[in-house]
Amino acid sequence: MTPYVLTVDADVRDLRTADHLLHTLAAELALPEGAFGCTHLVRGDRPSVALSLTLPSEPLLRTAQERLTARKYEVSHGSPDALGRAVIYPGVSVLTGTLTVADLLDRSAIDRVTVLGSPRRPAPDTRLMTANHVRPQWQNGELVLTAMPAVGGTLVPFEVPDPTPCCADH
């Protein structure tokens, strides 16, 4: 299947807003199960977060582009980079609660799990507490979830749903 990708510049400045907008657009565009919605950090004179939508067919791409352009979004073909952070992807809706690494890989588009600070992959029966927030990233064509060790030999995704802002205690 050839993916068809659009980049959406919605003038978003933070990941939380970008995540929310991706979910809103996915619902409004009625994206099919095989679609991907990613965020991309844009550096330069105007740092922002761009969105990409990967759709399974050209007709879906054209329809999405027309509808987004009609809503006054700046839309272009292709992805801003190869390192997108996946927010919408096949299987994301079932990655809730605590599951094993094997279940996560079987139920979603995630290709592999890495553990911060470890050269080895986690065992398939290692439990991962998702906090209902699993944001893998594209790395060399694979969707990779980076996890961290947690209490009792479990893992948690490296990205947490509500991070403490930098300098929150000053």
Side-chain angles (χ1 to χ4, degrees):
M1 169 172 51
T2 302
Y4 298 91
V5 184
L6 290 175
T7 292
V8 181
D9 182 352
D11 199 30
V12 175
R13 303 270 184 245
D14 65 274
L15 290 174
R16 180 180 278 175
T17 303
D19 285 7
H20 179 73
L21 180 57
L22 270 172
H23 284 290
T24 300
L25 293 176
E28 290 174 0
L29 296 170
L31 294 183
E33 173 64 25
F36 286 81
C38 297
T39 60
H40 305 262
L41 299 179
V42 178
R43 293 165 177 43
D45 295 339
R46 191 180 69 113
S48 62
V49 181
L51 311 177
S52 69
L53 298 173
T54 302
L55 304 166
S57 71
E58 190 171 359
L60 287 171
L61 179 93
R62 280 195 307 265
T63 300
Q65 182 174 10
E66 289 168 5
R67 293 176 70 188
L68 291 165
T69 303
R71 292 194 53 198
K72 306 296 184 216
Y73 287 115
E74 187 178 317
V75 180
S76 58
H77 286 268
S79 178
D81 59 42
L83 304 172
R85 171 183 161 271
V87 176
I88 296 168
Y89 51 93
V92 68
S93 64
V94 299
L95 301 181
T96 61
T98 300
L99 20 118
T100 66
V101 169
D103 287 340
L104 175 124
L105 297 173
D106 286 343
R107 297 176 185 175
S108 74
I110 297 173
D111 295 304
R112 66 184 167 95
V113 176
T114 62
V115 179
L116 209 56
S118 175
R120 287 185 237 122
R121 292 185 185 187
D125 63 344
T126 303
R127 292 179 306 126
L128 180 103
M129 299 183 299
T130 69
N132 303 339
H133 187 85
V134 181
R135 301 291 188 265
Q137 287 197 309
W138 288 104
Q139 295 177 12
N140 299 318
E142 288 186 307
L143 198 54
V144 179
L145 177 67
T146 301
M148 305 183 298
V151 174
T154 63
L155 297 174
V156 294
F158 177 71
E159 182 180 331
V160 295
D162 297 309
T164 304
C166 178
C167 306
D169 62 343
H170 311 296

